[in-house]
Amino acid sequence: GESVGLHLPTLSVQEGDNSIINCAYSNSASDYFIWYKQESGKGPQFIIDIRSNMDKRQGQRVTVLLNKTVKHLSLQIAATQPGDSAVYFCAETHLLSGGGADGLTFGKGTHLIIQP
Amino acid sequence: GAVVSQHPSRVICKSGTSVKIECRSLDFQATTMFWYRQFPKQSLMLMATSNEGSKATYEQGVEKDKFLINHASLTLSTLTVTSAHPEDSSFYICSASDRGAANYGYTFGSGTRLTVV
């Protein structure tokens, strides 16, 4: 869905705690979802992805949950560290057959702040 | 992993001039590249999709005559902002698709901060 906003929501957590960042998407045709981390002045960095045929996927310290019924995506970061401070975006797209690719639609983003 | 190089990282230009931004896939062939724009404290917005050897597809509201995209090879796409105005000042980011990559290849460049004075 469209993602335009005047400011980013902020989530502040204590170092070592777990954090959960949520994202709602609007396109029922989307079948591939990605979470990105963006530090100031840099391009988005891939964190984890999930296809629509799954509802959970785990990586190192990160877990993505997908609820297609309510079009909701979440990113869980375990044992947060100072380096996790950044803006996190969810992105959605529809994978094309035959080798083509659609662009990504980004969510509004959440600014995660890790408190020492 | 897949690496996308984008430059320049920063550019300041005078109003009315044109600026070219390059996006290169360093270790894979990108049949599709994407260009995004990001205003401060906002999300990324897709501007156009560029397929090698064919005309770019622009998103609604993006002027194709102002934002010229060329994707002449499998490793290079360029975005030229023509007759730049202060409202074009933004962070421009490219992404290249490598369908052979584990994450379907949505790898991003480091972005270009354009300031039009």
Side-chain angles (χ1 to χ4, degrees):
Chain A
E2 290 297 319
S3 54
V4 175
L6 295 179
H7 63 275
L8 297 170
T10 298
L11 174 64
S12 184
V13 299
Q14 290 293 125
E15 181 179 350
D17 286 353
N18 300 332
S19 66
I20 299 176
I21 300 171
N22 296 301
C23 175
Y25 66 95
S26 58
N27 190 348
S28 300
S30 293
D31 56 9
Y32 181 55
F33 306 87
I34 311 172
W35 278 101
Y36 286 95
K37 173 185 180 183
Q38 187 180 31
E39 296 174 309
S40 181
K42 297 183 179 179
Q45 176 189 349
F46 172 89
I47 300 174
I48 192 168
D49 60 354
I50 189 167
R51 295 196 67 175
S52 58
N53 60 354
M54 303 174 68
D55 53 22
K56 180 179 180 179
R57 191 153 187 248
Q58 290 184 289
Q60 189 174 17
R61 285 201 306 119
V62 294
T63 300
V64 55
L65 299 177
L66 174 63
N67 185 329
K68 295 181 288 295
T69 303
V70 295
K71 298 193 188 71
H72 183 268
L73 199 64
S74 69
L75 175 70
Q76 300 176 1
I77 304 175
T80 52
Q81 304 168 357
D84 293 331
S85 292
V87 177
Y88 290 81
F89 292 98
C90 65
E92 60 179 297
T93 191
H94 174 61
L95 294 177
L96 305 175
S97 59
D102 258 352
L104 297 174
T105 299
F106 281 79
K108 293 183 179 181
T110 296
H111 186 188
L112 178 65
I113 298 173
I114 308 302
Q115 303 278 8
Chain B
V3 178
V4 174
S5 172
Q6 184 176 341
H7 78 273
S9 58
R10 289 178 179 273
V11 58
I12 300 173
C13 71
K14 290 185 178 180
S15 200
T17 62
S18 296
V19 173
K20 181 185 283 189
I21 302 169
E22 291 189 350
C23 180
R24 293 180 185 273
S25 56
L26 296 187
D27 49 2
F28 65 99
Q29 293 185 329
T31 52
T32 306
M33 288 185 174
F34 306 93
W35 288 95
Y36 296 82
R37 181 167 53 184
Q38 184 178 30
F39 292 108
K41 298 192 184 301
Q42 293 190 23
S43 189
L44 286 80
M45 297 294 290
L46 179 66
M47 298 175 67
T49 300
S50 164
N51 290 297
E52 185 265 337
S54 61
K55 289 184 178 180
T57 303
Y58 291 81
E59 295 298 302
Q60 192 172 9
V62 178
E63 300 173 57
K64 66 177 192 271
D65 294 329
K66 180 169 185 62
F67 299 100
L68 301 179
I69 292 172
N70 182 282
H71 191 166
S73 79
L74 286 172
T75 59
L76 174 65
S77 176
T78 61
L79 167 68
T80 302
V81 183
T82 63
S83 187
H85 290 285
E87 56 265 31
D88 298 324
S89 298
S90 188
F91 193 52
Y92 292 87
I93 314 170
C94 71
S95 171
S97 174
D98 172 14
R99 296 310 298 274
N103 62 331
Y104 295 90
Y106 288 101
T107 303
F108 284 82
S110 53
T112 297
R113 173 74 60 196
L114 170 63
T115 303
V116 185
V117 298

